[in-house]
C-alpha cells in the first residue's frame, strides 16, 4: 500500500466505512493485515486462517474460523457458508467487535448488543436452524475443554447438561414430565446472557495508528 | 504426586520456627502499646520480686494472717482485661445498632461508632481517669489495620480489578500526588495570611500535612460503600484507589518528614523520591507475592493436618505485612499482593471447612478492627490536646474537597481517552464524593514529632476532615446514590451459562486478536493463563486438582454449594429449582414404547408424606451423627462430605474405566450418576436415593431385569453430575415406593431402633450397613448419600425387585 491510492479504492473505503463503522485508518490497517494473511491474493480461505501460528493454542479455533465464513454474519439474510471471503466480508465479521463509544445512545447500544449476541448464537448454532440443541451445546463445552485432556471430555457432558437444564428451568419452568425442550432459541440465549453486558465486553481494540503487523499497539477508538 | 516424607519433616522445622516467631510478634504487638502504666507495674513487680527473694532470707517473722478466702488482685490481669473490654464493647455496639431498626438505614455504622467513641471518651474523662492512648500508631498499624486489609486483599475480585488497573493506578498515584501538592501548596499560601498567626509553618510541613490528608482511606471507604451497594465498577475504582495510594502516601510522608528537618529539597531529592516510590510499590508487591507463593506451597502439604490450614494463611500474610514494614515498603500493598496471589492456589488445596474458617475469621477480625478503629477515633478526639485554628481548619476542609473534585474530573478526562467503557459524569461524582478520609491519616499525624511540627493543630485539622467526610459525606452518599439512580450491584449469582460464555468470550477475543495480528491484552492474558496452568499450578496445587480446568472447578464448586444447601435446608425445597424441568425434558426422546408406571406412582406422594419421611430420616441421621462424635480437640471429625467425597469419586473414576468397555450406551441414557444432592435430584429424590448399576441387556444373565431398566453409571473424577430420571418397571423408581414408605411409617413407631452408621472413616456417607432392612438403607440414602460406596456394590447388582 503506497501513499497514492487509486480513486476507486478510496471510494471503496468510504463505502466500507459507512457500512461497518470503522474509521479510515482502521480499515487501512485491517486491509494490510488481510493482504498479509491472504498472501496478497484477493480472497482468504480457511487454510489461510488456520495457518496463523498463534491460533494453534486456541481451543475454539475451528469455530472462530468458521465464523468468518458463515454467511449469516454478513447480515444479508443468507445461510450457509462461503468457501472464500473477500476483504469486505472479512471487515463485516470484524465489525462485530467494535466497542460502543461515549456517544452511543441507548437504542444503538441495544442494537449493538443484539448484533454481538447474534454472532455468538451463530457460532453455537452450527446447523443454522435457529435453535441451539443439546448436542450443539455439548459440542461447545467439549471444544472449550478440549485442551484439558481426559478430565475435560468426561465432565463436558455433565456441564453442558446442567447448563441446558438451567436455561430450560428459567425459560420454561412449567414443563410437564413428557414435554421436550427443543433447544435454546435466540430469545432464551439473550435472556441467559443479559448480565454479561456484551456490548462492553465483546470488543477488541482496533489499531488507529499505522504500525506494521505483529506490533503491540497503543490503541484508541 | 509422590509424597516426599523425608523432605517433609525437614521442611516442617523451619516452618515451625516461622510459626513461633509469628506468634511472638502477634503477642508482643498486642500487648506492648496498651497501657504504659501496666508495663511500669510489671517492671516494678519483677524487680520487686527479685529484691524480695534476697530479703526473705533475713526476715522470718511474718505474722500469720487468716487464709484469704476471697481476694482481689486486678493488676496482673489489667492489660488483657482492658483489651477484652474494648473488644466486647465494640461488638456489643455493633449488635445494638442492628437491633434498632430505623437507625442503621439512615446513619452509616461508622458515624454511630465514632459517636459511641466520643461518649466513652467523655465518660472516661468525667471519671477522672486518663484516657489511654488508644489510637497509638503502633497498635493501629500493627494490630488494627492488617486484618482489614487482609480481608480486602483475600477477597479482592481479581477480574474487575485487573481490567481497571490502569484507571485505578492513575487515580491512586497521580490523583494522590495532585491532592497532596494542591492542598499543601495552597495551605502554605493560606498560612501566609497575616491574621492567621500561622506564619511560622513552613512549606515543607504544609506539604507533609497535605500528603497525610490527601490519601483516601480504605477503612472508611469500605465501611461506607459496603452499605450502599453500588455497582462493581465504581466500588472497585474507589476501593482500589484507597488501597494502592498507600505507596504514594508512604513515600511522600517519609520524603517530607526527612526534608522538613533539613529544610530544603533539591531536584535530586525529587528524583530519588520517584525511584523510592517505585521501590516501595513494587517491592511491597514483590514481598507479598513471595509470601503468597510460600503459603500456597505450604498448603500443598496440609492434607493430613487440616486443622491448622487457616493459620498458615493468616500467619504468612501477617509476616508479609511485617516484612514489608521492616524495609519501609508499602505494607498494605504487600498484604494485598499476598492475599490475591495465594488465594487461587490455597483454595484448591485446603478443605472446605478451612475455607469457611478463613472466610469467617477474616470477616470477624476485620469487623472487630473496624469497629474498634472508629470507636478509638471518637475517644482520641475527646482526649487529644486540640489546638483549633479557624483559618487552618476551614481551609483544609475546603481545599480537600476542591482538590478531590478537580483531580477526579481532570483525570477522568484523560482516562476516558483510553478506556472502552467510559466513566460518565455520575460515575465521576460518586468517585469524587467517595473520597473519604479516615484513621490512617490520623495515625500518621500522630506519629509526627511534636517538636518539629505543630502536631496538635495538624491533628485537630485531620480529625475535622475525618469527621466531615465520614459524617457528612458518609450519611448523604446513600440518598445521593438513590437520587442519581446510580447503577446498583447486581445480586444474581453467577450461573454456569455465564461462566461458559465468559470463557468462550475470552478465547474468542484472543483468537480475533490473533487474526488481527496485534497483541492486545487478551493475548497477554491468555499467555499468562497458559503459563499458570502449565507450570505454576503443577507446582503449587496438590494432586489432581492442578489439572482441573477453571470451568470444571467452577461447576464442582456450584454443585458442592447446592449439595450443602440441600442437606442444610432439609425440609425446604431449594429455591434453585422452582421448576419441574428435569433432565428428561432435555434429553432427546426415547422411543415411547414402554409404559411408565413409575411416573404415575410419583404424583401419589403427597407433600405431607414427603415431609414425614424427611423428618424421620433427618432425625435418625442426626442421632447417629451425635453418637459418633468422640470429642478430640486436635482432630476434626471426618466429614463425610469432605474426605469421603474424594474417595468416593476416585472409586467412581475406576469404575468408569471399567464401564467404558461396555459399548451399547447409545440407546440408553448414559448421563453419569448424580450426587444425591444435586438440584435435579430434588425431583427424583422422591423415588428413592438408591442407585443401581447399569446392566445392559447382554450382561443380564438370569436376572429378571427389563432391558429398559436404566442403570446410572458412576461418574468420572470430581464432577458430581445429574441423574437421569427415566424410569422403567425394573428401575428403582418403581412402584415399590409405596412399600418403602410403609416401612417408614413403621419406623416412626420404634424410634429407638434408629439406623446404624458405620464410622465415617470407612467411606462416604454409608448409612446402615449391616441392617437387615435394606429399605431403610435406601430411605437413608435419599437425603444423605452422595452415591454408592464400593462396599455395597455387590449388593446393588441385584435388581430392586426381590
Amino acid at each position: 500500500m503506497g501513499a497514492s491510492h487509486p480513486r476507486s479504492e478510496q471510494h471503496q473505503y468510504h463505502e466500507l466505512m459507512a457500512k461497518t463503522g470503522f474509521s479510515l485508518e482502521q480499515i487501512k490497517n485491517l486491509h494490510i493485515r488481510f493482504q498479509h494473511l491472504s498472501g496478497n491474493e484477493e480472497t482468504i480461505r480457511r487454510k489461510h486462517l488456520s495457518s496463523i501460528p498463534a491460533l494453534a493454542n486456541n481451543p475454539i479455533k475451528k469455530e472462530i474460523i468458521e465464523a468468518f465464513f458463515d454467511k449469516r454474519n454478513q447480515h444479508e439474510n443468507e445461510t450457509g457458508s462461503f468457501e472464500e471471503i473477500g476483504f469486505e466480508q472479512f471487515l463485516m465479521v470484524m465489525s462485530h467487535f467494535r466497542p460502543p463509544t461515549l456517544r452511543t445512545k441507548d437504542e444503538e447500544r441495544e442494537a449493538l448488543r443484539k448484533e454481538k449476541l447474534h454472532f455468538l448464537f451463530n457460532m453455537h448454532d452450527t446447523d443454522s436452524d435457529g435453535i441451539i440443541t443439546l448436542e450443539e451445546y455439548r459440542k461447545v463445552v467439549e471444544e472449550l475443554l478440549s485442551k484439558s485432556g481426559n478430565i475435560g471430555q468426561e465432565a463436558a457432558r455433565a456441564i453442558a447438561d446442567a447448563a441446558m437444564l438451567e436455561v430450560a428451568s428459567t425459560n420454561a419452568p412449567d414443563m410437564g414430565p413428557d414435554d421436550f425442550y427443543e433447544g435454546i432459541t435466540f430469545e432464551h440465549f439473550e435472556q441467559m446472557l443479559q448480565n454479561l453486558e456484551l456490548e462492553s465486553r465483546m470488543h477488541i481494540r482496533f489499531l488507529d495508528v499505522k504500525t506494521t503487523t505483529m506490533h503491540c499497539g497503543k490503541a484508541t477508538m | 504426586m509422590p509424597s516426599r516424607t523425608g523432605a517433609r519433616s525437614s521442611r516442617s522445622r523451619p516452618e515451625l520456627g516461622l510459626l513461633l516467631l509469628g506468634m511472638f510478634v502477634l503477642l508482643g504487638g498486642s500487648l506492648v502499646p496498651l497501657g504504659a502504666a501496666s508495663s511500669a507495674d510489671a517492671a516494678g513487680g519483677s524487680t520487686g520480686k527479685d529484691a524480695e527473694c534476697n530479703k526473705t532470707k533475713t526476715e522470718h517473722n511474718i505474722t500469720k494472717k487468716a487464709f484469704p478466702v476471697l481476694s482481689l488482685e486486678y493488676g496482673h490481669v489489667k492489660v488483657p482485661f482492658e483489651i477484652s473490654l474494648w473488644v466486647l464493647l465494640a461488638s456489643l455496639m455493633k449488635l445494638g445498632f442492628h437491633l434498632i431498626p430505623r437507625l442503621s438505614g439512615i446513619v452509616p455504622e461508622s458515624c454511630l461508632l465514632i459517636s459511641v467513641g466520643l461518649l466513652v471518651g467523655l465518660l472516661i474523662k468525667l471519671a477522672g481517669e486518663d484516657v489511654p492512648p488508644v489510637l497509638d500508631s503502633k497498635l493501629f498499624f500493627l494490630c488494627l489495620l492488617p486484618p482489614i486489609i487482609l480481608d480486602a486483599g483475600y477477597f479482592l475480585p481479581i477480574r474487575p480489578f485487573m481490567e481497571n488497573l490502569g484507571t485505578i493506578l492513575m487515580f491512586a498515584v497521580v490523583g494522590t500526588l495532585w491532592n497532596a501538592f494542591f492542598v499543601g501548596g495552597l495551605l502554605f499560601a493560606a498560612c501566609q495570611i497575616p491574621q492567621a498567626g500561622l506564619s511560622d509553618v513552613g512549606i515543607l510541613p504544609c506539604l507533609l500535612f497535605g500528603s497525610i490528608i490527601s490519601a483516601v482511606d480504605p477503612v472508611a471507604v469500605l465501611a461506607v460503600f459496603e452499605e450502599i451497594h453500588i455497582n462493581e465498577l465504581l466500588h472497585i475504582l474507589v476501593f482500589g484507589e484507597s488501597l494502592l495510594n498507600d505507596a504514594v502516601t508512604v513515600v511522600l510522608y517519609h520524603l517530607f518528614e526527612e526534608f522538613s528537618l533539613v529544610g530544603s529539597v533539591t531536584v535530586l531529592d525529587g528524583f530519588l523520591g520517584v525511584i523510592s516510590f517505585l521501590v516501595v510499590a513494587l517491592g511491597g508487591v514483590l514481598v507479598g507475592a513471595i509470601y503468597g507463593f510460600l503459603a500456597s506451597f505450604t498448603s500443598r502439604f496440609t492434607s493430613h493436618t487440616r486443622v491448622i490450614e487457616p493459620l498458615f494463611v493468616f500467619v504468612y500474610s501477617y509476616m508479609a505485612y511485617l516484612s514489608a514494614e521492616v524495609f519501609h515498603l508499602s505494607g498494605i500493598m504487600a498484604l494485598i499482593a499476598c492475599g490475591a496471589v495465594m488465594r487461587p492456589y490455597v483454595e484448591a488445596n485446603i478443605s472446605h471447612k478451612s475455607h469457611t474458617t478463613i472466610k469467617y475469621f477474616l470477616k470477624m477480625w476485620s469487623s472487630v478492627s473496624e469497629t474498634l478503629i472508629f470507636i478509638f477515633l471518637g475517644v482520641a478526639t475527646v482526649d487529644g490536646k486540640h489546638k483549633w485554628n479557624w483559618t487552618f481548619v476551614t481551609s483544609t476542609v475546603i481545599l480537600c474537597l476542591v482538590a478531590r473534585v478537580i483531580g477526579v474530573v481532570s483525570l477522568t478526562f484523560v482516562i476516558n481517552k483510553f478506556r472502552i467503557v467510559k466513566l460518565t459524569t455520575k460515575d465521576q461524582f460518586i468517585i469524587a464524593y467517595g473520597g473519604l478520609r479516615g484513621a490512617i491519616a490520623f495515625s500518621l499525624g500522630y506519629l509526627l514529632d511534636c517538636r518539629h511540627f505543630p502536631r496538635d493543630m495538624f491533628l485537630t485539622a485531620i480529625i475535622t476532615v475525618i469527621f466531615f467526610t465520614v459524617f457528612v459525606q458518609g450519611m448523604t452518599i446513600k440518598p445521593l446514590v438513590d437520587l442519581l439512580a446510580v447503577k446498583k450491584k447486581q445480586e444474581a449469582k453467577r450461573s454456569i451459562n455465564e461462566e461458559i460464555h465468559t470463557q468462550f468470550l475470552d478465547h474468542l477475543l484472543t483468537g480475533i486478536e490473533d487474526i488481527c495480528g496485534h497483541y492486545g491484552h487478551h493475548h497477554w492474558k491468555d499467555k499468562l493463563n497458559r503459563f499458570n496452568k502449565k507450570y505454576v499450578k503443577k507446582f503449587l496445587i496438590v494432586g489432581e486438582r492442578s489439572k482441573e480446568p477453571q470451568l470444571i472447578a467452577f461447576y464442582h464448586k456450584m454443585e458442592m454449594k447446592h449439595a450443602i444447601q440441600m442437606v442444610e435446608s432439609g425440609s425446604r425445597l431449594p429455591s434453585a429449582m422452582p421448576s419441574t424441568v428435569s433432565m428428561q425434558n432435555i434429553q432427546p426422546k426415547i422411543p415411547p414404547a414402554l409404559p411408565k408406571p413409575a411416573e404415575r406412582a410419583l404424583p401419589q406422594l403427597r407433600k405431607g408424606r414427603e415431609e414425614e419421611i424427611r423428618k424421620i430420616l433427618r432425625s435418625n441421621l442426626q442421632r447417629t451423627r451425635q453418637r459418633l462424635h468422640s470429642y478430640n480437640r486436635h482432630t476434626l471429625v471426618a466429614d463425610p462430605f469432605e474426605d469421603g467425597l474424594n474417595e468416593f469419586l476416585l472409586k467412581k473414576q475406576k469404575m468408569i474405566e471399567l464401564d467404558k468397555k461396555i459399548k451399547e450406551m447409545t440407546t440408553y441414557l448414559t448421563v453419569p450418576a448424580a450426587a444425591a444432592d444435586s438440584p435435579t435430584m430434588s425431583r427424583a429424590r422422591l423415588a428413592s436415593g438408591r442407585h443401581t448399576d447399569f446392566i445392559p441387556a447382554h450382561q443380564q444373565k438370569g436376572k429378571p431385569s427389563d432391558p429398559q431398566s436404566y442403570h446410572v453409571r458412576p461418574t468420572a473424577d470430581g464432577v458430581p453430575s445429574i441423574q437421569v430420571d427415566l424410569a422403567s418397571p425394573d428401575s428403582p423408581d418403581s412402584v415399590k415406593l409405596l412399600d418403602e414408605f410403609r416401612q417408614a411409617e413403621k419406623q416412626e413407631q420404634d424410634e429407638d431402633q434408629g439406623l446404624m452408621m458405620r464410622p465415617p472413616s470407612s467411606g462416604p456417607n454409608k448409612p446402615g450397613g449391616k441392617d437387615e432392612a435394606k429399605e431403610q438403607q435406601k430411605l437413608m440414602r435419599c437425603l444423605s448419600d452422595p452415591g454408592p460406596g464400593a462396599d455395597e456394590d455387590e449388593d446393588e447388582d441385584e435388581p430392586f425387585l426381590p
Side-chain angles (χ1 to χ4, degrees):
Chain A
M1 295 284 297
S4 58
H5 311 279
R7 228 47 212 334
S8 59
E9 231 171 46
Q10 277 277 24
H11 184 61
Q12 186 192 30
Y13 280 1
H14 284 292
E15 257 183 42
L16 288 174
M17 270 172 71
K19 193 170 172 196
T20 58
F22 283 123
S23 74
L24 197 60
E25 278 303 318
Q26 290 169 335
I27 296 186
K28 283 189 191 159
N29 282 320
L30 284 172
H31 201 157
I32 295 175
R33 178 64 179 169
F34 181 84
Q35 297 198 312
H36 176 90
L37 285 176
S38 70
N40 281 321
E41 292 172 24
E42 283 297 313
T43 58
I44 280 188
R45 294 169 188 276
R46 286 182 175 82
K47 64 174 195 259
H48 292 121
L49 290 180
S50 281
S51 57
I52 300 177
L55 270 187
N57 283 317
N58 203 315
I60 54 172
K61 166 177 164 179
K62 274 206 316 271
E63 277 79 4
I64 298 179
I65 296 179
E66 242 350 274
F68 275 89
F69 294 89
D70 192 337
K71 281 191 186 163
R72 288 174 293 175
N73 288 331
Q74 298 298 326
H75 294 193
E76 283 165 13
N77 285 326
E78 291 178 11
T79 56
S81 59
F82 295 110
E83 275 308 311
E84 50 183 17
I85 54 172
F87 181 56
E88 191 177 322
Q89 284 97 3
F90 182 76
L91 216 52
M92 265 313 280
V93 173
M94 285 300 189
S95 74
H96 287 97
F97 294 95
R98 269 172 25 247
T101 65
L102 199 52
R103 277 170 260 113
T104 319
K105 294 186 281 290
D106 278 336
E107 313 89 52
E108 284 174 20
R109 249 176 219 271
E110 245 336 278
L112 201 60
R113 204 165 65 83
K114 270 209 155 71
E115 194 182 297
K116 297 184 197 247
L117 274 171
H118 264 297
F119 187 83
L120 279 183
F121 191 81
N122 291 340
M123 280 185 85
H124 296 331
D125 182 22
T126 41
D127 58 2
S128 305
D129 62 355
I131 299 181
I132 304 179
T133 61
L134 183 61
E135 274 312 311
E136 287 170 344
Y137 209 36
R138 273 188 189 156
K139 186 127 203 317
V140 171
V141 180
E142 268 173 29
E143 290 287 316
L144 261 185
L145 295 174
S146 59
K147 295 274 172 198
S148 318
N150 277 337
I151 300 182
Q153 291 316 302
E154 285 146 11
R157 296 197 91 148
I159 295 180
D161 292 339
M164 195 71 156
L165 190 64
E166 196 181 305
V167 181
S169 338
T170 354
N171 293 95
D174 300 312
M175 290 206 312
D178 286 335
D179 293 340
F180 177 58
Y181 180 67
E182 291 287 334
I184 309 178
T185 61
F186 182 69
E187 286 76 32
H188 296 172
F189 191 69
E190 200 180 359
Q191 197 269 342
M192 166 171 118
L193 294 182
Q194 64 189 2
N195 285 333
L196 273 187
E197 284 191 10
L198 224 51
E199 70 270 18
S200 348
R201 289 188 71 157
M202 185 167 148
H203 68 81
I204 68 172
R205 294 168 186 261
F206 288 102
L207 297 181
D208 254 0
V209 260
K210 211 164 191 151
T211 60
T212 57
T213 55
M214 301 314 215
H215 259 53
C216 214
K218 192 64 149 329
T220 61
M221 247 290 290
Chain B
M1 189 202 87
S3 64
R4 301 166 299 192
T5 47
R8 235 189 116 202
S9 55
S10 67
R11 202 171 276 122
S12 63
R13 251 173 255 128
E15 279 170 358
L16 199 58
L18 276 176
L19 206 67
L20 288 173
L21 196 58
M23 273 171 51
F24 286 142
V25 170
L26 268 170
L27 279 172
S30 63
L31 287 181
V32 157
L34 279 157
S38 60
S39 59
D41 279 337
S46 58
T47 52
K49 274 213 171 73
D50 286 339
E52 265 179 42
C53 267
N54 294 330
K55 279 195 344 203
T56 37
K57 302 230 168 66
T58 51
E59 291 179 13
H60 300 285
N61 45 348
I62 304 172
T63 52
K64 182 170 178 213
K65 292 181 285 212
F67 189 77
V69 174
L70 188 66
S71 57
L72 181 72
E73 192 186 338
Y74 182 61
H76 73 286
V77 294
K78 181 171 183 208
V79 169
F81 197 84
E82 286 181 353
I83 302 174
S84 311
L85 265 185
W86 279 114
V87 175
L88 195 59
L89 173 72
S91 317
L92 287 174
M93 284 301 118
K94 237 178 142 67
L95 269 186
F97 293 149
H98 290 283
L99 288 177
I100 308 173
R102 296 287 312 282
L103 201 58
S104 42
I106 308 175
V107 186
E109 220 172 76
S110 36
C111 306
L112 291 171
L113 290 170
I114 295 186
S115 327
V116 168
L118 285 171
L119 259 174
V120 171
L122 267 173
L123 284 174
I124 298 184
K125 252 229 159 99
L126 286 177
E129 290 269 327
D130 265 333
V131 178
V134 279
L135 214 49
D136 178 17
S137 300
K138 234 194 271 190
L139 169 67
F140 178 76
F141 281 112
L142 291 183
C143 297
L144 292 178
L145 191 60
I148 302 180
I149 305 295
L150 180 60
D151 180 38
Y154 195 77
F155 293 109
L156 194 68
I158 294 288
R159 204 174 234 266
F161 187 75
M162 284 302 167
E163 281 173 10
N164 295 300
L165 192 61
T167 315
I168 294 178
L169 279 175
M170 273 290 265
F171 278 125
V173 177
V174 180
T176 313
L177 277 174
W178 157 259
N179 278 348
F181 282 103
F182 186 79
V183 172
L186 286 186
L187 213 52
F188 179 65
C191 286
Q192 301 306 95
I193 302 174
Q195 295 95 332
L198 292 168
S199 37
D200 56 338
V201 181
I203 177 79
L204 282 171
C206 278
L207 283 174
L208 178 60
F209 180 76
S211 67
I212 295 178
I213 199 81
S214 62
V216 178
D217 187 85
V219 180
V221 165
L222 258 179
V224 169
F225 271 48
E226 209 170 68
E227 300 178 4
I228 61 178
H229 299 301
I230 51 170
N231 63 54
E232 198 179 50
L233 173 67
L234 284 177
H235 187 228
I236 198 74
L237 282 180
V238 183
F239 185 58
E241 180 197 343
S242 69
L243 290 175
L244 295 186
N245 64 20
D246 181 61
V248 182
T249 312
V250 164
V251 170
L252 282 179
Y253 183 80
H254 284 120
L255 198 70
F256 290 132
E257 202 191 3
E258 292 280 322
F259 296 140
S260 309
L261 304 178
V262 176
S264 64
V265 184
T266 65
V267 177
L268 180 65
D269 297 325
F271 184 63
L272 285 177
V274 172
I275 307 259
S276 164
F277 165 70
L278 287 170
V279 168
V280 162
L282 295 174
V285 172
L286 189 68
V287 168
I290 292 176
Y291 275 97
F293 282 121
L294 277 177
S296 316
F297 191 65
T298 311
S299 72
R300 193 177 159 183
F301 301 104
T302 57
S303 42
H304 298 288
T305 39
R306 296 257 182 223
V307 204
I308 55 173
E309 274 173 340
L311 191 62
F312 285 119
V313 171
F314 300 139
V315 172
Y316 273 113
S317 314
Y318 196 54
M319 290 288 292
Y321 181 75
L322 295 175
S323 310
E325 288 290 324
V326 166
F327 296 103
H328 277 304
L329 304 173
S330 167
I332 291 185
M333 292 184 84
L335 212 45
I336 302 279
C338 185
V341 162
M342 92 174 136
R343 186 177 179 201
Y345 308 110
V346 162
E347 286 203 340
N349 284 333
I350 62 177
S351 68
H352 185 77
K353 276 208 175 109
S354 298
H355 173 72
T356 313
T357 308
I358 292 179
K359 185 164 93 166
Y360 277 102
F361 259 80
L362 280 178
K363 298 285 176 205
M364 178 186 83
W365 271 331
S366 68
S367 172
V368 168
S369 268
E370 196 182 291
T371 317
L372 276 176
I373 287 178
F374 283 116
I375 293 187
F376 286 169
L377 257 180
V379 172
T381 313
V382 170
D383 165 54
K385 304 172 265 307
H386 293 292
K387 189 170 160 228
W388 181 273
N389 183 306
W390 276 101
T391 325
F392 195 76
V393 174
T394 45
S395 42
T396 308
V397 175
I398 297 175
L399 283 174
C400 276
L401 285 173
V402 169
R404 177 83 182 155
V405 170
I406 299 180
V408 169
V409 170
S410 38
L411 276 177
T412 317
F413 180 72
V414 176
I415 288 172
N416 269 344
K417 294 207 194 303
F418 297 95
R419 279 182 68 92
I420 296 293
V421 180
K422 317 280 181 188
L423 295 172
T424 64
T425 324
K426 260 194 252 173
D427 295 335
Q428 290 173 41
F429 177 73
I430 297 289
I431 296 177
Y433 208 67
L436 308 171
R437 298 352 188 233
I440 291 188
F442 183 82
S443 307
L444 283 176
Y446 203 81
L447 274 176
L448 288 175
D449 191 342
C450 53
R451 287 165 296 167
H452 302 272
F453 306 99
R455 192 179 89 163
D456 300 324
M457 189 172 71
F458 281 179
L459 280 180
T460 314
I462 293 177
I463 287 191
T464 316
V465 174
I466 296 179
F467 271 50
F468 182 81
T469 56
V470 171
F471 278 91
V472 174
Q473 284 178 247
M475 270 202 266
T476 53
I477 198 170
K478 192 160 190 196
L480 273 174
V481 161
D482 291 332
L483 191 68
L484 291 174
V486 177
K487 218 160 48 157
K488 294 262 178 117
K489 180 160 78 166
Q490 58 194 46
E491 290 302 335
K493 275 210 164 79
R494 218 189 162 90
S495 73
I496 183 90
N497 280 306
E498 285 177 8
E499 181 68 24
I500 292 178
H501 280 95
T502 311
Q503 299 249 333
F504 192 82
L505 262 180
D506 274 343
H507 289 299
L508 174 64
L509 292 174
T510 310
I512 299 283
E513 272 187 4
D514 289 332
I515 292 182
C516 268
H518 83 263
Y519 294 159
H521 73 260
H522 280 106
H523 180 95
W524 296 115
K525 204 162 77 166
D526 189 57
K527 264 209 158 85
L528 184 67
N529 275 335
R530 269 187 287 129
F531 174 73
N532 189 16
K533 196 158 82 167
K534 202 161 168 203
Y535 299 111
V536 184
K537 273 194 183 167
K538 282 218 176 84
F539 189 58
L540 293 178
I541 299 184
V542 68
E544 281 302 304
R545 297 210 53 186
S546 61
K547 297 201 215 86
E548 197 176 49
Q550 193 189 343
L551 189 58
I552 299 184
F554 177 84
Y555 181 67
H556 191 167
K557 225 195 290 187
M558 209 179 75
E559 285 289 299
M560 184 79 129
K561 263 193 230 160
H562 279 137
I564 293 179
Q565 211 178 33
M566 275 266 320
V567 173
E568 282 179 357
S569 70
S571 53
R572 275 184 300 112
L573 276 174
S575 56
M577 282 295 294
S579 67
T580 56
V581 178
S582 75
M583 276 311 295
Q584 78 181 66
N585 293 109
I586 318 179
Q587 295 293 345
K589 282 224 164 73
I590 302 292
L594 32 126
K596 293 191 193 168
E599 294 304 308
R600 279 181 256 127
L602 280 175
Q604 289 182 16
L605 261 191
R606 298 173 337 262
K607 265 273 156 96
R609 206 14 119 49
E610 197 183 332
E611 275 305 309
E612 279 174 1
I613 298 160
R614 246 174 282 153
K615 225 188 330 177
I616 301 162
L617 296 177
R618 223 180 328 129
S619 63
N620 281 313
L621 185 56
Q622 280 171 0
R623 233 184 298 134
T624 49
R625 274 206 176 146
Q626 280 164 10
R627 239 182 280 156
L628 287 174
H629 287 201
S630 67
Y631 180 66
N632 182 341
R633 202 161 32 108
H634 296 292
T635 57
L636 296 172
V637 175
D639 187 358
F641 267 123
E642 271 275 358
D643 311 312
L645 191 62
N646 289 334
E647 284 175 21
F648 150 74
L649 292 170
L650 276 172
K651 283 176 198 147
K652 282 212 153 169
Q653 191 172 8
K654 284 187 205 127
M655 292 192 58
I656 201 180
E657 272 150 25
L658 286 174
D659 283 344
K660 264 204 170 103
K661 306 198 174 107
I662 301 168
K663 283 303 170 193
E664 285 166 302
M665 293 295 115
T666 48
T667 355
Y668 303 109
L669 294 155
T670 54
V671 175
D677 339 81
S678 47
T680 29
M681 279 296 283
S682 64
R683 200 177 157 245
R685 162 181 16 102
L686 283 182
S688 80
R690 178 181 163 120
H691 302 284
T692 55
D693 291 320
F694 185 93
I695 310 169
H698 72 273
Q699 274 192 3
Q700 286 164 359
K701 305 179 180 48
K703 294 184 186 166
S705 19
D706 182 340
Q708 283 302 110
S709 80
Y710 76 96
H711 188 101
V712 193
R713 290 166 75 225
T715 180
D717 81 304
V719 185
S721 41
I722 309 164
Q723 191 200 28
V724 176
D725 200 9
L726 193 65
S728 86
D730 226 16
S731 314
D733 309 352
S734 74
V735 186
K736 279 297 167 181
L737 281 175
L738 298 177
D739 285 338
E740 287 189 328
F741 298 132
R742 247 175 266 134
Q743 297 257 354
E745 233 176 357
K746 246 195 294 168
Q747 200 172 339
E748 253 181 304
Q749 282 137 22
D750 43 11
E751 299 246 307
D752 301 69
Q753 187 179 359
L755 291 160
M756 302 295 278
M757 234 181 129
R758 281 199 214 134
S761 55
S762 69
N765 267 343
K766 282 198 287 272
K770 318 287 185 267
D771 211 330
E772 72 283 16
K774 269 211 186 160
E775 287 80 11
Q776 288 178 346
Q777 183 179 341
K778 289 161 212 146
L779 285 175
M780 277 296 302
R781 298 267 190 85
C782 280
L783 277 192
S784 57
D785 193 5
D791 297 16
E792 273 148 282
D793 283 342
E794 56 274 23
D795 294 335
E796 297 188 351
D797 276 338
E798 298 164 46
F800 187 87
L801 293 175

